[in-house]
Amino acid sequence: MRAFISGLLHRHDDSTPIFSHRNTVTHGLLRADVSAHAARFEAVGIGEGSTVAVQVPPSFSHLEAVLALWTLGAQVISIDHRLRPAEAHALHALTRPQFLVHPSGEVARGFQERYGLVVSPVDGAPASSAHRLVQFSSGSTGRSKVIGRSTSSLVDEVARFEACEGVPRSGERLLLLNSPAHSFGLIGGLLHSLAAGVHLVFAASPAASDVQRQARAFEVDFITGLPFHFDLLAYSPDRSALSSARGAFAGGELMPQEVASRFLTEYGFPVGECFGTTETGALTMAVGGTVRPSVGPLMPGITARVRDGLVEVALPETPYLSSDDPSRYSGGWFRTGDRGEFTPSGELRLLGRADSLVVVRGNKVDLTEVEHVLRGHPLVTEAVALGPSEIRAYVGTSSSALTADALTEWCTERLAEFKLPQHIHVMDTLPRTATGKIVRSMEPLHASYLQAHSAGNNGAK
């Protein structure tokens, strides 16, 4: 890993820009900042095989610290800065880091260029494997799993991005809205940009006005983000702000087709799709857009199949560190948990999660269909439908006037009786995981609804 990161850091001239927010960092400045961080980390005992939990908000400091740790051969345990202390401590217990890296002062809202960083030694253990990046499953349906990425898997993923047609190239400016603490932002954003000479631009916040302001100021060529970023942009359109952009794609969560269509109408160019998992990294790429639920063809170097209706990916070893899960990894194949199929042209179509099929009074119901109908309501911004024996829906809305009864009437006109949600809970927004995905576990969803309901927000059926 030392050699890989060192090679990326020295691939481009000193004057070539790499990061911009209010100020710009060149490759030369980045190398100096990474070296300074590395010297400080090394002085407290961090070296080859050290385990270091990094919980730093989105910033230049976060990116530089991760790169510095990798130049020392440390195992980076990436923890989202938004987690509460109890949540972070639970992840510490799973991974037992020897050091914690965190900001020294108050955490700002949105992106900030610099934080003072504190390195705290703790009672942990050195790395027991060659993995140099440790992340966690989203936890949207249960307890987080510990996921390890080896140097070779990271090198291979960066090579996949470089080999894909249409992705940002040398000298282009990429407005990165995905969090660099998570898989897509860290590898498809930071590492690919270092490899290809892409200039990364960061917005102050996900608000459409901040994104548009930064896009206009830097005349960005490309934009990547989660579906909700493109949803915000489509609801507050400013086509001139993205007039310099030649493309966009979503990564981290499947883009609803209605969001992609609305963005295309408002901005005049499509949103592509990059599908992958934390365990595998990026798997498919459709830079020029696609008709969902297609997520495009497999990226170069990926071997995948559909077995028993589920998408499986060939991996040389289990991605899980804490314990093997034969239901997810067996015989060299990782089962993603996504239902899918390949089209005759080789594109992968995703048909929902394996747990999205439920049986209601003897009838099979695909919960993704119920969610699609709910999201079709003009006042609904997001929706989750859960089973198994009865359907319960949680809905986010842009209007305080929307009621559960109105949604029941909407669904009755569009769904068979056995597919109708028995309970609909209407909220301003749905809770999300640390990786930005909508929570799909009943207990936290309902707790969030009750909290909102007790505060006088929207009612429920």
Side-chain angles (χ1 to χ4, degrees), residues 3 16 70 114 132 143 169 186 190 278 292 308 314 364:
T16 303
W70 276 336
R114 302 289 173 191
R132 287 299 171 260
R143 181 182 177 184
R169 298 297 186 193
L186 184 60
L190 173 62
T278 305
R292 281 72 179 181
D308 299 329
K364 288 186 178 180

Side-chain angles (χ1 to χ4, degrees), residues 29 54 63 122 180 193 208 217 281 302 310 321 342 367 395 402 441 447:
L29 290 173
V54 178
L63 301 172
V122 289
S193 295
I302 290 296
L310 294 179
L321 269 66
F342 283 101
L367 296 176
V395 172
L402 183 62
S441 182

Side-chain angles (χ1 to χ4, degrees), residues 206-294:
S209 57
D210 284 336
V211 173
Q212 291 158 349
R213 184 182 304 111
Q214 204 73 337
R216 180 181 285 108
F218 287 92
E219 297 183 321
V220 299
D221 302 283
F222 224 90
I223 179 171
T224 65
L226 292 165
F228 90 90
H229 291 122
F230 294 102
D231 201 24
L232 291 174
L233 288 169
Y235 269 115
S236 300
D238 181 355
R239 182 176 287 206
S240 66
L242 295 181
S243 61
S244 61
R246 69 168 178 85
F249 59 83
E253 184 178 358
L254 183 63
M255 169 82 81
Q257 182 58 45
E258 56 267 27
V259 175
S261 297
R262 190 162 58 249
F263 183 90
L264 174 61
T265 298
E266 299 296 347
Y267 288 92
F269 63 92
V271 181
E273 190 77 40
C274 179
F275 164 68
T277 70
T278 305
E279 291 90 342
T280 62
L283 297 172
T284 72
M285 179 67 78
V287 175
T290 184
V291 178
R292 281 72 179 181
S294 171

Side-chain angles (χ1 to χ4, degrees), residues 166-226:
V167 299
R169 298 297 186 193
S170 178
E172 291 193 311
R173 293 168 294 279
L174 166 62
L175 182 53
L176 179 68
L177 303 179
N178 304 83
S179 170
H182 304 142
S183 186
F184 182 86
L186 184 60
I187 303 163
L190 173 62
L191 296 186
H192 168 67
S193 295
L194 284 171
V198 174
H199 180 179
L200 285 176
V201 177
F202 299 93
S205 81
S209 57
D210 284 336
V211 173
Q212 291 158 349
R213 184 182 304 111
Q214 204 73 337
R216 180 181 285 108
F218 287 92
E219 297 183 321
V220 299
D221 302 283
F222 224 90
I223 179 171
T224 65
L226 292 165

Side-chain angles (χ1 to χ4, degrees), residues 231 235 259 375 377-383 395-398 428-429:
D231 201 24
Y235 269 115
V259 175
R375 287 198 305 268
H377 192 284
L379 298 181
V380 170
T381 57
E382 50 195 7
V395 172
T397 179
S398 58
D428 288 338
T429 59

